[in-house]
Amino acid sequence: MTNEEYRQYAERHAPRSPVGKNMLCAFLVGGAICCLGQLLFQLYLSLGLEEESAAAWESITLVALGATATALGLYDKLAKHAGAGTLVPITGFANSVVAPALEFKTEGLITGTAAKMFIISGPVIVYGVGASIVYGLLLCLIG
């Protein structure tokens, strides 16, 4: 059997993904996380914080909740059903930092946890910062 024949065989026998259900779950869970963020923002505003401070505390709280849920094994269970709905919000970033750190903690504090902590989120940070620089320069040149 050639590689191409094997690929076709595997495609024929692979289970079909319920795309509609997956999109609905991602939308609902991602939306729920974002609604939680908005509720936190409103809570912090009602406590007397200025908008900028309330937004910062909202982000801090969501990152802490995402990291805690990852450490307790809850985030992976949620992600199994919600898919991309858990990746897009800021809680997904917290998960992408904490999960590798937990996975490699047996290798030690420095060579395991610290070295592997940004293995997933590191490229996102690098390309995000790079893209923001390019977009900022374009904005300066155009407008």
Side-chain angles (χ1 to χ4, degrees), residues 22 25-34 66 69-70 74-96:
N22 290 348
C25 286
F27 175 78
L28 292 175
V29 173
I33 293 171
C34 293
T70 300
L74 302 174
Y75 207 86
D76 288 339
K77 291 177 184 176
L78 179 63
K80 186 182 286 187
H81 299 289
T86 57
L87 296 177
V88 176
I90 196 168
T91 53
F93 176 77
N95 175 262
S96 71

Side-chain angles (χ1 to χ4, degrees), residues 18-114:
V19 176
K21 177 183 171 260
N22 290 348
M23 288 191 310
L24 180 64
C25 286
F27 175 78
L28 292 175
V29 173
I33 293 171
C34 293
C35 286
L36 173 63
Q38 187 63 38
L39 286 171
L40 289 168
F41 180 72
Q42 294 300 327
L43 171 70
Y44 291 133
L45 284 178
S46 72
L47 294 174
L49 293 177
E50 296 177 12
E51 281 192 25
E52 192 172 308
S53 295
W57 277 106
E58 170 201 359
S59 296
I60 291 167
T61 304
L62 287 172
V63 167
L65 288 173
T68 302
T70 300
L72 296 174
L74 302 174
Y75 207 86
D76 288 339
K77 291 177 184 176
L78 179 63
K80 186 182 286 187
H81 299 289
T86 57
L87 296 177
V88 176
I90 196 168
T91 53
F93 176 77
N95 175 262
S96 71
V97 172
V98 173
L102 290 174
E103 184 176 342
F104 292 99
K105 70 181 180 184
T106 57
E107 294 180 23
L109 186 60
I110 302 299
T111 59
T113 302

Side-chain angles (χ1 to χ4, degrees), residues 92-94 96-98 100 116-127:
F93 176 77
S96 71
V97 172
V98 173
K116 303 293 185 183
M117 188 177 290
F118 294 103
I119 199 165
I120 295 173
S121 59
V124 174
I125 294 169
V126 169
Y127 286 111

